[in-house]
Amino acid sequence: MGLRAGYHVYRTAQWKALRLEAKRRDDFKCTGCGARGRLEVHHKISVRQAPELSFDLGNVTCLCPTCHTKATNAERGIKPNPEREAWDQLLKGNNIARFY
Ligand SMILES: [Zn+2]
């Protein structure tokens, strides 16, 4: 076994090129909430589930770190916590550093 499937995908020049292409296509905005700034390119169908779609532009989408975490949690079957999210939004809005 050794390396998990997909591990090396993120280290290829092809992935770097695809990431840039995806950001351009999505206008350098998060497709979840429209935020600009730091973006992560997310596989809609995970590399593990569909290695053949690893470099498919149709299978990737740009997400901000917040939306990316949500998407990843959803994949893992972790349900969103509305109270926690409301709290996060409040902290963000007030520019208060996270203290937990
Ligand atoms: Zn977002």
Side-chain angles (χ1 to χ4, degrees):
M1 293 299 282
L3 298 180
R4 278 173 50 177
Y7 176 79
H8 75 280
V9 165
Y10 301 106
R11 301 186 177 280
T12 59
Q14 203 181 351
W15 172 244
K16 279 180 193 156
L18 183 78
R19 237 171 31 185
L20 185 62
E21 231 180 300
K23 285 179 188 177
R24 280 203 191 113
R25 181 202 55 192
D26 293 338
D27 198 24
F28 293 89
K29 279 191 270 192
C30 171
T31 57
C33 68
R36 289 180 180 272
R38 203 183 134 206
L39 288 176
E40 292 164 5
V41 178
H42 172 66
H43 281 105
K44 294 184 204 170
I45 302 170
S46 73
V47 171
R48 201 150 35 98
Q49 283 175 292
E52 71 278 13
L53 296 177
S54 298
F55 302 110
D56 188 327
L57 193 60
N59 187 40
V60 293
T61 192
C62 294
L63 293 174
C64 71
T66 306
C67 291
H68 197 195
T69 302
K70 273 188 220 169
T72 310
N73 284 349
E75 273 170 17
R76 289 184 189 146
I78 301 169
K79 295 211 170 68
N81 178 342
E83 277 179 34
R84 171 60 182 271
E85 273 175 30
W87 182 233
D88 280 348
Q89 286 304 321
L90 189 71
L91 292 184
K92 247 199 234 171
N94 290 333
N95 242 345
I96 300 171
R98 293 165 76 105
F99 52 84
Y100 51 86

